[in-house]
Amino acid sequence: MSRVYNFSAGPAVLPEEVLREAAAEMLDYKGSGMSVMEMSHRSKDFQDILDAAEQDLRDLMKIPDNYRVLFVQGGGHIQFAMVPMNLFQNRVGDYILTGQWAKKAYQEAKLFGTANVIASSEDKTFSYIPDCSDLPVDEDADYVYICLNNTIYGTVFHELPNTKGKPLVADISSCFLSEPIDVSKFGVLWGGVQKNVGPAGLAIVIIREDLIREDVLPGTPTMLRYKTYSDSGSLHNTPPTYTIYMCGKVFQWIKRMGGLEAMKERNEKKAKILYDFLDESRLFKGTVEKKDRSLMNVPFVTGDADLDAKFVKEAKAAGFVNLKGHRTVGGMRASIYNAMPIEGVEKLVAFMREFEEKNS
Ligand SMILES: *Cc1c(COP(=O)(O)O)cnc(C)c1O
């Protein structure tokens, strides 16, 4: 068996320890004589897995008691629709466009009412975070929406926007559990888990209780109402049981690693190794404004598309996989999520140095 260093943006690398545990429990979960995959979602064993996952997440993120944790199928794209369907009262949402995921959320909201762009960084291919200290927030806005960490472009909000009293909704898919976060500053936080938390197929929604409404947009299907998940403990129908089990294992791994403060320290260390190299390199360049750099997704280019392709190909042969940039951006992108070990980044930088010497 040989494991590669996987820099995929998602689905992405998971902690090896977690994969080994899951493998050991595959045929017989804690004496049940079956895999978690084969278990009833109404069984005590699964209820324990679900309860522990929620509690561990609450502990890690210090989620206040007036927030609910919902396990929702359908990944990120379903949340683009669920947010307006559940939060629209005046049918107005204000969006800050910092990349493709924010833009998709904005476009989806337009299906249900008015979506305003109150700030954007599209003028410079989303290579920075706009100043959000005094935005033209609509008086009727039901919420202000951001994508906290921009997976494709590699930027992150270091400061939250001034929403002028409106609830802040944030997509945290690609920075979920990468560092501490003050949940109380948000109305809704949601993340698809396949970037930093677990296997694909699930979004976790952390929502302030008063935003879980009965009077959602007329026609909102039962399975697209936050209330359905809140009332049933995310068990209205069969949830993605195995994915939830894996997420729970990752939460426990993060706890063993020392929690979110320790994750942050480790992630900063990894990102610094890569950014320091990019800043001194004669061949490779980072593509975003330094002040807005993400800890999780690091896009870079050589400036020559053929050389980029050569790099991606040679890196792959050397065991550094999924470094090709997003199809809309080109170049390269290294996603260095929680589960990427420090030596993965160190070895990547050593490989980049070598490539630079040979090609410049
Ligand atoms: C990947 C990603 C999405 C899309 O997730 P899907 O589960 O594929 O719908 C949305 N937002 C962000 C920030 C992402 O990184």
Side-chain angles (χ1 to χ4, degrees):
M1 184 202 69
S2 106
R3 301 262 304 160
V4 291
Y5 289 112
N6 180 6
F7 295 92
S8 171
V13 58
L14 287 168
E16 202 171 300
E17 217 178 298
V18 165
L19 297 174
R20 285 183 196 284
E21 270 178 30
E25 290 173 349
M26 182 61 77
L27 294 180
D28 179 7
Y29 177 77
K30 293 193 174 164
S32 65
M34 62 179 95
S35 156
V36 171
M37 266 182 243
E38 303 166 290
M39 244 172 224
S40 165
H41 59 295
R42 308 277 175 211
S43 66
K44 178 173 185 311
D45 272 335
F46 183 71
Q47 188 68 55
D48 289 348
I49 289 169
L50 183 62
D51 292 346
E54 173 169 347
Q55 192 55 53
D56 286 336
L57 182 67
R58 283 187 173 277
D59 295 346
L60 284 169
M61 294 179 74
K62 300 190 168 69
I63 299 174
D65 288 344
N66 63 326
Y67 284 73
R68 295 290 176 89
V69 175
L70 315 178
F71 296 88
V72 183
Q73 301 177 51
H77 280 67
I78 293 288
Q79 293 311 309
F80 297 160
M82 280 181 83
V83 166
M85 289 177 114
N86 284 269
L87 300 192
F88 269 2
Q89 301 280 294
N90 305 323
R91 300 200 183 204
V92 180
D94 281 357
Y95 283 75
I96 297 174
L97 299 198
T98 52
Q100 184 162 306
W101 299 124
K103 199 168 172 181
K104 281 203 173 179
Y106 156 73
Q107 283 162 345
E108 192 74 2
K110 285 202 286 189
L111 297 174
F112 307 102
T114 305
N116 302 312
V117 177
I118 56 168
S120 169
S121 54
E122 197 166 13
D123 59 334
K124 292 185 186 160
T125 29
F126 299 120
S127 58
Y128 68 103
I129 298 290
D131 177 3
C132 297
S133 55
D134 183 19
L135 298 173
V137 176
D138 194 313
E139 253 177 49
D140 288 334
D142 294 306
Y143 56 84
V144 173
Y145 184 102
I146 61 169
C147 178
L148 191 61
N149 182 80
N150 296 280
T151 327
I152 295 173
Y153 299 94
T155 57
V156 68
F157 281 82
H158 287 294
E159 232 171 280
L160 295 178
N162 173 2
T163 65
K164 305 189 174 166
K166 307 295 184 191
L168 179 61
V169 177
D171 171 358
I172 57 166
S173 299
S174 52
C175 57
F176 214 153
L177 299 175
S178 62
E179 58 181 311
I181 189 166
D182 183 352
V183 173
S184 70
K185 293 211 159 82
F186 300 83
V188 181
L189 286 162
W190 70 262
V193 301
Q194 75 272 27
K195 307 293 162 70
N196 211 12
V197 181
L202 177 72
I204 296 178
V205 179
I206 300 160
I207 180 168
R208 214 173 60 211
E209 268 168 0
D210 60 290
L211 296 172
I212 301 173
R213 297 201 174 99
E214 191 89 57
D215 56 336
V216 296
L217 283 191
T220 299
T222 306
M223 288 309 290
L224 296 188
R225 298 169 186 235
Y226 289 134
K227 196 163 188 311
T228 301
Y229 294 82
S230 173
D231 287 351
S232 65
S234 300
L235 284 169
H236 181 77
N237 76 328
T238 320
T241 51
Y242 201 77
T243 293
I244 292 170
Y245 157 78
M246 288 298 287
C247 290
K249 286 212 170 297
V250 171
F251 299 157
Q252 282 171 15
W253 175 78
I254 296 174
K255 276 189 155 177
R256 286 198 300 275
M257 296 286 287
L260 298 192
E261 292 289 350
M263 276 296 135
K264 180 181 188 199
E265 203 174 300
R266 190 174 123 105
N267 288 328
E268 281 175 345
K269 208 160 160 187
K270 284 187 290 184
K272 185 172 185 321
I273 294 168
L274 192 45
Y275 284 126
D276 281 355
F277 173 69
L278 290 174
D279 289 343
E280 69 172 51
S281 171
R282 280 163 291 119
L283 183 62
F284 297 102
K285 274 183 297 295
T287 57
V288 309
E289 268 189 34
K290 287 187 187 178
K291 69 173 176 48
D292 300 322
R293 282 172 163 176
S294 164
L295 283 183
M296 297 279 98
N297 311 97
V298 183
F300 55 95
V301 295
T302 64
D304 172 343
D306 291 339
L307 202 53
D308 287 350
K310 186 174 181 226
F311 174 79
V312 170
K313 190 165 167 240
E314 290 183 10
K316 184 176 175 196
F320 307 101
V321 308
N322 290 318
L323 281 165
K324 193 169 185 287
H326 190 266
R327 58 196 147 79
T328 61
V329 187
M332 282 73 72
R333 171 180 47 171
S335 294
I336 48 176
Y337 296 121
N338 285 349
M340 173 59 62
I342 289 179
E343 64 266 21
V345 181
E346 286 169 344
K347 286 182 183 165
L348 173 66
V349 165
F351 178 81
M352 290 169 76
R353 245 184 244 288
E354 216 174 285
F355 185 89
E356 175 172 321
E357 272 160 33
K358 283 192 210 142
N359 290 278
S360 53

